[in-house]
Each structure stands twice: as structure tokens, then as C-alpha cells.
Short mmCIF file of all heavy atoms in Angstrom, two decimals:
data_model
loop_
_atom_site.label_atom_id
_atom_site.label_comp_id
_atom_site.label_asym_id
_atom_site.label_seq_id
_atom_site.Cartn_x
_atom_site.Cartn_y
_atom_site.Cartn_z
N HIS A 1 -77.04 -19.13 -130.46
CA HIS A 1 -75.85 -19.46 -131.22
C HIS A 1 -74.72 -18.58 -130.57
O HIS A 1 -73.41 -19.16 -130.34
CB HIS A 1 -75.85 -19.24 -132.65
CG HIS A 1 -76.77 -20.10 -133.36
ND1 HIS A 1 -76.65 -21.44 -133.29
CD2 HIS A 1 -77.91 -19.79 -134.18
CE1 HIS A 1 -77.62 -21.94 -134.08
NE2 HIS A 1 -78.36 -21.05 -134.60
N LEU A 2 -74.84 -17.39 -130.16
CA LEU A 2 -73.81 -16.56 -129.47
C LEU A 2 -73.54 -17.13 -128.15
O LEU A 2 -72.32 -17.18 -127.66
CB LEU A 2 -74.35 -15.10 -129.35
CG LEU A 2 -74.49 -14.37 -130.76
CD1 LEU A 2 -75.09 -13.00 -130.47
CD2 LEU A 2 -73.18 -14.22 -131.40
N PHE A 3 -74.69 -17.55 -127.40
CA PHE A 3 -74.44 -18.13 -126.08
C PHE A 3 -73.60 -19.44 -126.26
O PHE A 3 -72.64 -19.77 -125.32
CB PHE A 3 -75.79 -18.39 -125.43
CG PHE A 3 -75.74 -19.24 -124.18
CD1 PHE A 3 -75.34 -18.58 -123.00
CD2 PHE A 3 -75.98 -20.59 -124.16
CE1 PHE A 3 -75.22 -19.28 -121.86
CE2 PHE A 3 -75.87 -21.32 -123.00
CZ PHE A 3 -75.59 -20.76 -121.80
N ALA A 4 -73.95 -20.28 -127.20
CA ALA A 4 -73.21 -21.54 -127.39
C ALA A 4 -71.72 -21.36 -127.71
O ALA A 4 -70.85 -22.09 -127.22
CB ALA A 4 -73.92 -22.42 -128.51
N ALA A 5 -71.37 -20.35 -128.57
CA ALA A 5 -70.14 -19.94 -128.88
C ALA A 5 -69.31 -19.56 -127.68
O ALA A 5 -68.23 -19.92 -127.57
CB ALA A 5 -70.07 -18.93 -130.02
N ALA A 6 -69.95 -18.69 -126.98
CA ALA A 6 -69.22 -18.16 -125.63
C ALA A 6 -69.10 -19.43 -124.72
O ALA A 6 -67.94 -19.55 -124.11
CB ALA A 6 -70.10 -17.20 -124.90
N TRP A 7 -69.95 -20.30 -124.58
CA TRP A 7 -69.87 -21.51 -123.71
C TRP A 7 -68.84 -22.39 -124.19
O TRP A 7 -67.94 -22.92 -123.35
CB TRP A 7 -71.27 -22.19 -123.66
CG TRP A 7 -71.27 -23.39 -122.84
CD1 TRP A 7 -71.12 -24.82 -123.20
CD2 TRP A 7 -71.37 -23.50 -121.33
NE1 TRP A 7 -71.17 -25.61 -122.08
CE2 TRP A 7 -71.28 -24.82 -120.93
CE3 TRP A 7 -71.53 -22.54 -120.34
CZ2 TRP A 7 -71.50 -25.33 -119.72
CZ3 TRP A 7 -71.66 -23.00 -119.08
CH2 TRP A 7 -71.59 -24.25 -118.74
N GLU A 8 -68.74 -22.60 -125.59
CA GLU A 8 -67.63 -23.47 -126.14
C GLU A 8 -66.21 -22.80 -125.79
O GLU A 8 -65.24 -23.51 -125.59
CB GLU A 8 -67.94 -23.75 -127.61
CG GLU A 8 -69.09 -24.54 -127.86
CD GLU A 8 -69.37 -24.78 -129.25
OE1 GLU A 8 -68.75 -24.03 -130.16
OE2 GLU A 8 -70.16 -25.53 -129.65
N GLY A 9 -66.26 -21.44 -125.86
CA GLY A 9 -64.92 -20.75 -125.68
C GLY A 9 -64.43 -20.96 -124.33
O GLY A 9 -63.30 -21.06 -123.98
N VAL A 10 -65.35 -20.98 -123.31
CA VAL A 10 -65.02 -21.20 -121.88
C VAL A 10 -64.71 -22.49 -121.60
O VAL A 10 -63.61 -22.91 -120.91
CB VAL A 10 -66.23 -20.75 -121.01
CG1 VAL A 10 -65.82 -21.05 -119.46
CG2 VAL A 10 -66.55 -19.28 -121.10
N ARG A 11 -65.43 -23.53 -122.16
CA ARG A 11 -65.12 -24.89 -121.84
C ARG A 11 -64.09 -25.53 -122.74
O ARG A 11 -63.51 -26.55 -122.49
CB ARG A 11 -66.50 -25.75 -121.98
CG ARG A 11 -67.57 -25.35 -121.13
CD ARG A 11 -68.75 -26.14 -121.37
NE ARG A 11 -68.72 -27.58 -120.93
CZ ARG A 11 -68.66 -28.62 -121.67
NH1 ARG A 11 -68.79 -28.50 -123.04
NH2 ARG A 11 -68.53 -29.87 -121.21
N ARG A 12 -63.65 -24.81 -123.87
CA ARG A 12 -62.62 -25.37 -124.76
C ARG A 12 -62.96 -26.58 -125.48
O ARG A 12 -62.07 -27.39 -125.99
CB ARG A 12 -61.20 -25.52 -124.03
CG ARG A 12 -60.84 -24.24 -123.25
CD ARG A 12 -60.34 -23.22 -124.22
NE ARG A 12 -59.79 -22.13 -123.71
CZ ARG A 12 -59.31 -21.03 -124.29
NH1 ARG A 12 -59.41 -20.94 -125.63
NH2 ARG A 12 -58.75 -19.96 -123.60
N ARG A 13 -64.26 -26.83 -125.65
CA ARG A 13 -64.71 -28.04 -126.39
C ARG A 13 -66.16 -27.77 -126.86
O ARG A 13 -66.93 -27.02 -126.16
CB ARG A 13 -64.61 -29.33 -125.66
CG ARG A 13 -65.48 -29.36 -124.35
CD ARG A 13 -65.18 -30.81 -123.89
NE ARG A 13 -66.04 -31.03 -122.71
CZ ARG A 13 -65.58 -30.70 -121.44
NH1 ARG A 13 -64.39 -30.12 -121.23
NH2 ARG A 13 -66.36 -30.94 -120.40
N PRO A 14 -66.43 -28.27 -128.01
CA PRO A 14 -67.79 -28.14 -128.68
C PRO A 14 -68.85 -28.67 -127.81
O PRO A 14 -68.63 -29.71 -127.24
CB PRO A 14 -67.76 -28.65 -130.03
CG PRO A 14 -66.70 -29.68 -129.90
CD PRO A 14 -65.64 -29.21 -128.91
N ILE A 15 -70.10 -28.04 -127.92
CA ILE A 15 -71.31 -28.74 -127.42
C ILE A 15 -71.57 -29.98 -128.18
O ILE A 15 -71.51 -29.97 -129.40
CB ILE A 15 -72.49 -27.81 -127.35
CG1 ILE A 15 -72.11 -26.46 -126.49
CG2 ILE A 15 -73.72 -28.39 -126.86
CD1 ILE A 15 -73.22 -25.54 -126.58
N PRO A 16 -71.96 -31.13 -127.44
CA PRO A 16 -72.20 -32.32 -128.16
C PRO A 16 -73.34 -32.19 -129.19
O PRO A 16 -74.26 -31.40 -128.95
CB PRO A 16 -72.69 -33.30 -127.02
CG PRO A 16 -71.93 -32.85 -125.86
CD PRO A 16 -71.96 -31.31 -125.98
N MET A 17 -73.19 -32.85 -130.35
CA MET A 17 -74.20 -32.74 -131.47
C MET A 17 -75.53 -33.08 -130.97
O MET A 17 -76.62 -32.38 -131.34
CB MET A 17 -73.85 -33.51 -132.54
CG MET A 17 -74.77 -33.35 -133.89
SD MET A 17 -74.80 -31.64 -134.50
CE MET A 17 -72.98 -31.48 -135.01
N ARG A 18 -75.71 -34.12 -130.16
CA ARG A 18 -77.00 -34.59 -129.69
C ARG A 18 -77.63 -33.47 -128.79
O ARG A 18 -78.92 -33.27 -128.97
CB ARG A 18 -76.90 -35.82 -128.86
CG ARG A 18 -78.13 -36.48 -128.29
CD ARG A 18 -79.11 -36.75 -129.51
NE ARG A 18 -80.39 -37.31 -128.90
CZ ARG A 18 -81.58 -37.42 -129.73
NH1 ARG A 18 -81.53 -37.00 -130.90
NH2 ARG A 18 -82.68 -37.87 -129.13
N ALA A 19 -76.87 -32.85 -128.00
CA ALA A 19 -77.41 -31.81 -127.18
C ALA A 19 -77.92 -30.65 -127.93
O ALA A 19 -78.99 -30.02 -127.71
CB ALA A 19 -76.32 -31.37 -126.15
N ARG A 20 -77.11 -30.26 -129.14
CA ARG A 20 -77.66 -29.25 -129.99
C ARG A 20 -79.06 -29.65 -130.62
O ARG A 20 -79.84 -28.72 -130.84
CB ARG A 20 -76.59 -28.94 -131.05
CG ARG A 20 -75.35 -28.20 -130.61
CD ARG A 20 -74.46 -27.96 -131.70
NE ARG A 20 -73.32 -27.03 -131.37
CZ ARG A 20 -73.34 -25.68 -131.45
NH1 ARG A 20 -74.46 -25.15 -131.90
NH2 ARG A 20 -72.39 -25.01 -131.04
N GLU A 21 -79.14 -30.85 -131.19
CA GLU A 21 -80.29 -31.29 -131.74
C GLU A 21 -81.53 -31.19 -130.80
O GLU A 21 -82.63 -30.69 -131.31
CB GLU A 21 -80.16 -32.78 -132.24
CG GLU A 21 -79.14 -32.93 -133.28
CD GLU A 21 -78.99 -34.36 -133.71
OE1 GLU A 21 -79.51 -35.26 -133.04
OE2 GLU A 21 -78.25 -34.57 -134.73
N ILE A 22 -81.38 -31.66 -129.59
CA ILE A 22 -82.38 -31.52 -128.60
C ILE A 22 -82.82 -30.13 -128.43
O ILE A 22 -84.03 -29.79 -128.26
CB ILE A 22 -82.05 -32.33 -127.19
CG1 ILE A 22 -81.88 -33.87 -127.46
CG2 ILE A 22 -83.09 -31.94 -126.18
CD1 ILE A 22 -81.45 -34.50 -126.37
N ALA A 23 -81.81 -29.20 -128.30
CA ALA A 23 -81.98 -27.83 -127.95
C ALA A 23 -82.74 -27.13 -129.01
O ALA A 23 -83.60 -26.42 -128.84
CB ALA A 23 -80.67 -27.12 -127.68
N ASN A 24 -82.36 -27.66 -130.27
CA ASN A 24 -83.08 -27.03 -131.60
C ASN A 24 -84.52 -27.45 -131.51
O ASN A 24 -85.37 -26.60 -131.86
CB ASN A 24 -82.34 -27.44 -132.71
CG ASN A 24 -81.07 -26.62 -133.01
OD1 ASN A 24 -80.83 -25.61 -132.52
ND2 ASN A 24 -80.12 -27.27 -133.68
N MET A 25 -84.77 -28.73 -131.17
CA MET A 25 -86.24 -29.16 -131.12
C MET A 25 -87.07 -28.53 -130.08
O MET A 25 -88.16 -28.11 -130.33
CB MET A 25 -86.23 -30.63 -130.90
CG MET A 25 -85.79 -31.46 -132.19
SD MET A 25 -85.97 -33.26 -131.95
CE MET A 25 -84.81 -33.69 -130.69
N VAL A 26 -86.42 -28.29 -128.94
CA VAL A 26 -87.10 -27.59 -127.84
C VAL A 26 -87.34 -26.09 -128.30
O VAL A 26 -88.34 -25.54 -127.97
CB VAL A 26 -86.24 -27.59 -126.65
CG1 VAL A 26 -86.92 -26.70 -125.52
CG2 VAL A 26 -86.22 -28.97 -126.08
N GLY A 27 -86.36 -25.47 -128.84
CA GLY A 27 -86.60 -24.10 -129.27
C GLY A 27 -87.66 -23.97 -130.44
O GLY A 27 -88.31 -23.00 -130.34
N LEU A 28 -87.67 -24.88 -131.29
CA LEU A 28 -88.65 -24.76 -132.45
C LEU A 28 -90.07 -24.99 -131.69
O LEU A 28 -90.99 -24.30 -132.22
CB LEU A 28 -88.41 -26.00 -133.40
CG LEU A 28 -89.42 -26.00 -134.58
CD1 LEU A 28 -89.49 -24.68 -135.31
CD2 LEU A 28 -89.06 -27.24 -135.38
N ALA A 29 -90.23 -25.89 -130.74
CA ALA A 29 -91.51 -26.02 -130.10
C ALA A 29 -91.91 -24.79 -129.39
O ALA A 29 -93.10 -24.37 -129.39
CB ALA A 29 -91.38 -27.17 -129.12
N MET A 30 -90.83 -24.19 -128.78
CA MET A 30 -91.25 -22.86 -127.97
C MET A 30 -91.72 -21.81 -128.98
O MET A 30 -92.61 -20.98 -128.80
CB MET A 30 -90.01 -22.36 -127.30
CG MET A 30 -89.60 -23.34 -126.08
SD MET A 30 -88.03 -22.76 -125.31
CE MET A 30 -88.44 -21.21 -124.77
N LEU A 31 -90.95 -21.69 -130.13
CA LEU A 31 -91.38 -20.66 -131.14
C LEU A 31 -92.76 -21.02 -131.70
O LEU A 31 -93.53 -20.06 -131.93
CB LEU A 31 -90.39 -20.64 -132.22
CG LEU A 31 -88.98 -19.88 -131.87
CD1 LEU A 31 -88.16 -19.88 -133.00
CD2 LEU A 31 -89.25 -18.52 -131.30
N LEU A 32 -93.01 -22.32 -132.00
CA LEU A 32 -94.37 -22.55 -132.50
C LEU A 32 -95.46 -22.25 -131.42
O LEU A 32 -96.48 -21.73 -132.00
CB LEU A 32 -94.49 -24.04 -132.91
CG LEU A 32 -93.57 -24.48 -134.05
CD1 LEU A 32 -93.63 -25.88 -134.39
CD2 LEU A 32 -94.11 -23.76 -135.28
N LEU A 33 -95.15 -22.54 -130.24
CA LEU A 33 -96.15 -22.12 -129.17
C LEU A 33 -96.22 -20.68 -129.07
O LEU A 33 -97.49 -20.26 -128.89
CB LEU A 33 -95.61 -22.73 -127.91
CG LEU A 33 -96.50 -22.47 -126.61
CD1 LEU A 33 -97.94 -23.02 -126.85
CD2 LEU A 33 -95.99 -23.01 -125.29
N LEU A 34 -95.23 -19.97 -129.21
CA LEU A 34 -95.23 -18.47 -129.13
C LEU A 34 -96.08 -17.93 -130.25
O LEU A 34 -96.97 -17.08 -130.12
CB LEU A 34 -93.98 -17.94 -129.17
CG LEU A 34 -93.83 -16.36 -129.09
CD1 LEU A 34 -94.48 -15.83 -127.85
CD2 LEU A 34 -92.44 -15.98 -129.17
N MET A 35 -95.87 -18.49 -131.55
CA MET A 35 -96.69 -18.02 -132.69
C MET A 35 -98.03 -18.36 -132.42
O MET A 35 -98.93 -17.52 -132.85
CB MET A 35 -96.13 -18.77 -133.92
CG MET A 35 -94.68 -18.27 -134.33
SD MET A 35 -94.07 -19.32 -135.78
CE MET A 35 -95.25 -18.92 -136.97
N ALA A 36 -98.51 -19.51 -131.90
CA ALA A 36 -99.90 -19.74 -131.72
C ALA A 36 -100.51 -18.85 -130.80
O ALA A 36 -101.62 -18.47 -130.94
CB ALA A 36 -100.01 -21.29 -131.20
N MET A 37 -99.81 -18.46 -129.68
CA MET A 37 -100.33 -17.62 -128.75
C MET A 37 -100.46 -16.23 -129.28
O MET A 37 -101.58 -15.58 -128.96
CB MET A 37 -99.37 -17.62 -127.45
CG MET A 37 -99.42 -18.99 -126.72
SD MET A 37 -98.03 -19.02 -125.46
CE MET A 37 -98.81 -17.87 -124.13
N VAL A 38 -99.59 -15.61 -130.00
CA VAL A 38 -99.76 -14.30 -130.50
C VAL A 38 -100.82 -14.24 -131.60
O VAL A 38 -101.47 -13.19 -131.71
CB VAL A 38 -98.37 -13.72 -131.10
CG1 VAL A 38 -97.38 -13.63 -129.97
CG2 VAL A 38 -97.79 -14.57 -132.19
#
């Protein structure tokens, strides 16, 4: 979220909602995989 806020501040426009949704799904999958591994 901090990275996204900095990116939006540089580009002067918000990240598309669809891109955020895909990123969140990828992040959730990564965390679930990490939890399974630990």
C-alpha cells in the first residue's frame, strides 16, 4: 500500500482497480503458499 501510494504520487493518477484486484489475489496466494511452507 505504501508502494502503491508512492507510485500514484509519481504518476499523478490512481492504479486501475482491476490491477489492484489482481495484485491482491496474487499477494493472497503468495501468503497462503508461505504459510503452508512454514
Side-chain angles (χ1 to χ4, degrees):
H1 293 303
L2 293 174
F3 172 79
W7 181 260
E8 291 176 351
V10 172
R11 298 179 71 247
R12 299 293 182 181
R13 60 177 182 271
I15 297 176
M17 185 59 66
R18 181 57 180 167
R20 283 182 174 272
E21 291 176 353
I22 295 175
N24 286 334
M25 288 188 290
V26 172
L28 179 60
M30 292 174 62
L31 287 182
L32 291 175
L33 177 61
L34 178 62
M35 289 175 61
M37 294 173 69
V38 296

